């Protein structure tokens, strides 16, 4: 029995890391749906189908809680997953509420995927918490590609990140929401491109919520293992996964 997490690719590892800190002895199973990455530009129906397939695979492997470690999949499918799965499901969405609390300029930028930013869930979030402030949305597919390639530093990564972030800082957006799990691994570059900005990442809060749900669901302590799987080619995914996680890990093939 373990806690299962999935994302379109490697971004959700940041949530796994935060969860590992809170529940060091629980077993985690991480699924990267690399064969179908990126989710961002895909039609909602397709993302929903993939989210369901990934979640069902995790449950079949023994997951007793499923974490949708992906804002795009949460936006497309959270309700459907909750209705379809026999275990609790934890989702995530861009941290608009904490950003509104943090901004001094009244100008907040949300970096996410086009799928998340165009979704009804995001529209509701902005209407509820950010009606009085300026919210600029920016889809950053180039940053998703960087993380999938395991390119977290160096001139290419810097040029891509600065291209998205530096103009926002120059325009006075003082709070940046990382509304896609692929962006926290690029946080040092994002912070360097917008040195005065407050950066909001909901990953730690999602991990805390997952820890509560896992305890309520009675997920037992295990061996503190992290098992990683991909729907893509494990030999190609493993090096990038090792760079994002910070240490080499075995990656198995998931057929789902
Ligand atoms: N990591 C995902 C998210 O949080 C999506 C990246 C993608 O597949 O486009 O939204």
């Amino acid at each position: 029995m373990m806690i299962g997490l999935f994302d379109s690719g490697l971004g959700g590892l940041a949530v796994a890391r935060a969860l590992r800190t809170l529940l060091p002895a629980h077993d985690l199973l991480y699924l990267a749906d690399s064969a179908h990455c990126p989710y961002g530009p895909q039609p909602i129906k397709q993302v929903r189908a993939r989210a369901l397939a990934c979640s069902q695979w995790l449950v079949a492997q023994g997951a007793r809680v499923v974490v949708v470690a992906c804002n795009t999949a949460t936006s497309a499918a959270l309700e459907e997953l909750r209705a379809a799965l026999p275990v609790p499901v934890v989702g995530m969405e861009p941290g608009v509420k904490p950003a509104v609390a943090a901004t001094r300029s009244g100008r907040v930028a949300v970096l996410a995927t086009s799928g998340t930013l165009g979704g009804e869930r995001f529209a509701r979030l902005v209407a509820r918490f950010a009606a009085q402030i300026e919210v600029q949305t920016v889809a950053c597919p180039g940053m998703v590609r960087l993380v999938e390639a395991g390119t977290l530093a160096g001139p290419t990564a810097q040029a891509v990140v600065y291209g998205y972030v530096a103009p926002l800082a120059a325009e006075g957006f003082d709070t940046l929401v990382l509304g896609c799990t692929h962006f926290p691994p690029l946080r040092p570059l994002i912070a360097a491109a917008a040195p005065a900005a407050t950066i909001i990442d909901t990953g730690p809060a999602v991990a805390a919520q997952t820890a509560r749900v896992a305890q309520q669901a009675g997920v037992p302590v295990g061996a503190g293992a992290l098992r990683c799987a991909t729907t893509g080619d494990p030999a190609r995914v493993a090096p990038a996964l090792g760079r994002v996680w910070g240490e080499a890990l075995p990656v198995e093939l998931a057929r789902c």
Side-chain angles (χ1 to χ4, degrees):
M1 284 201 249
M2 78 287 277
I3 300 170
L5 308 94
F6 78 92
D7 178 32
S8 60
L10 304 176
L13 284 169
V15 180
R17 180 183 303 287
L19 192 54
R20 164 61 61 249
T21 310
L22 293 175
L23 299 178
H26 280 70
D27 291 334
L28 308 182
L29 171 57
Y30 185 84
L31 173 60
D33 194 11
S34 321
H36 305 93
C37 187
Y39 284 174
Q42 294 184 46
I44 187 167
K45 266 179 112 174
Q46 230 159 282
V47 176
R48 205 172 271 160
R50 286 312 307 158
L52 191 59
C54 289
S55 304
Q56 283 168 338
W57 185 84
L58 289 169
V59 171
Q61 300 296 311
R64 288 298 166 263
V65 174
V66 167
V67 183
V68 188
C70 174
N71 294 265
T72 312
T74 298
S75 169
L78 186 65
E79 286 76 17
E80 289 77 3
L81 296 179
R82 286 192 168 141
L85 297 177
V87 301
V89 181
V90 179
M92 63 192 300
E93 57 189 12
V96 170
K97 189 180 173 191
V100 170
T103 183
R104 291 169 311 281
S105 67
R107 309 184 85 195
V108 166
V110 181
L111 316 181
T113 68
S114 50
T116 298
L117 296 172
E120 278 172 33
R121 220 182 162 83
F122 184 70
R124 281 200 301 270
L125 201 58
V126 171
R128 180 155 176 223
F129 297 114
Q132 309 303 326
I133 64 153
E134 185 183 346
V135 177
Q136 166 96 15
T137 60
V138 189
C140 308
M143 299 208 308
V144 175
R145 283 194 291 273
L146 283 176
V147 172
E148 285 308 296
T151 308
L152 307 183
T156 306
Q158 194 175 26
V160 171
V161 170
Y162 272 62
Y164 290 119
V165 175
L168 295 168
E171 285 169 41
F173 289 94
D174 71 347
T175 306
L176 304 180
V177 178
L178 307 187
C180 170
T181 52
H182 277 73
F183 304 161
L186 296 168
R187 187 169 177 150
L189 287 180
I190 295 170
T198 302
I199 295 175
I200 308 280
D201 169 19
T202 53
V206 172
Q209 170 65 3
T210 303
R212 282 190 290 272
V213 170
Q215 264 144 8
Q216 278 159 15
V219 182
V221 165
L226 170 61
R227 190 179 141 204
C228 293
T230 178
T231 55
D233 176 356
R236 290 183 61 173
V237 170
L241 187 144
R243 284 198 289 279
V244 175
W245 184 252
E247 116 190 52
L249 292 174
V251 180
E252 63 187 82
L253 177 65
R255 293 181 199 282
C256 67

